[in-house]
Amino acid sequence: MKNTTLCYLEKGSAYLMLHRVKKENDVNAGKWVGVGGHFEEGESPYDCAVREIFEETGLVCAALSYRGVVTFVSDKYETEQMHLFTSDDFLGDDTYPRYTGGEETPTACNEGNLAWVEKALVPTLPLWEGDKVFLSMLEKDAPFFSLKLVYEGDTLVRTIKNGIPM
């Protein structure tokens, strides 16, 4: 099982989102996601999130909120345990463009285009169906959760929150 992190940086009513359009053979190709990535040897979830945020955005997190653990089970991909964070406390140049549904302004990230996206617009973007589940939980300020998302191909077939099917 692989371990990853994902963080949604918040600025006012927007999330910093990454449109995955640059990397070849990307499981998330064409999707919008937060920032994050795979653990390196010896890293904690917090260490990984801080490193990945800096690598992808140039921003330094002063504080992270650990929101939940999401386990992805798939008949196509290796099982993944993703540690989910949010942060509204970071330092650095956060002057990324705003995405309003039109053409994107390319940015410096080598994995895709970074943009601030109004939270109300996020559900209309190309997302994994499971991402909509945990993003909804973040918006409702749900307490720390364990979420299991089971996929057949690219279709979400089962959602289990804290051991209870949803």
Side-chain angles (χ1 to χ4, degrees), residues 42-152:
E43 284 186 322
S44 70
Y46 189 91
D47 296 337
C48 179
V50 168
R51 177 185 53 77
E52 286 284 349
I53 290 164
F54 180 74
E55 287 178 3
E56 292 181 1
T57 70
L59 298 171
V60 176
C61 271
L64 289 171
S65 296
Y66 196 1
R67 305 297 298 275
V69 176
V70 181
T71 304
F72 296 95
V73 178
S74 168
D75 61 352
K76 283 176 58 175
Y77 308 109
E78 178 183 2
T79 298
E80 175 181 345
Q81 191 165 65
M82 182 187 74
H83 303 265
L84 184 62
F85 295 89
T86 56
S87 179
D88 62 2
D89 190 1
F90 44 86
L91 307 167
D93 182 5
D94 66 357
T95 57
Y96 291 101
R98 289 227 172 242
Y99 178 74
T100 58
E103 212 170 296
E104 292 175 53
T105 304
T107 60
C109 184
N110 64 355
E111 296 188 18
N113 297 330
L114 286 162
W116 291 105
V117 180
E118 289 296 318
K119 292 176 184 177
L121 180 61
V122 170
T124 69
L125 299 174
L127 305 169
W128 289 101
E129 285 303 309
D131 289 17
K132 293 177 184 179
V133 174
F134 62 73
L135 282 163
S136 172
M137 294 167 67
L138 294 179
E139 281 308 297
K140 293 175 185 169
D141 202 24
F144 190 90
F145 56 86
S146 173
L147 187 64
K148 182 177 181 181
L149 303 171
V150 181
Y151 283 88
E152 290 178 4

Side-chain angles (χ1 to χ4, degrees), residues 13-53:
S13 61
Y15 284 133
L16 186 60
M17 303 282 292
L18 176 60
H19 190 196
R20 301 290 295 247
V21 294
K22 293 185 181 176
K23 218 170 149 183
E24 283 190 42
N25 302 316
D26 186 351
V27 66
N28 294 306
K31 304 274 197 256
W32 287 81
V33 297
V35 295
H38 296 87
F39 279 43
E40 289 184 359
E41 184 61 35
E43 284 186 322
S44 70
Y46 189 91
D47 296 337
C48 179
V50 168
R51 177 185 53 77
E52 286 284 349
I53 290 164

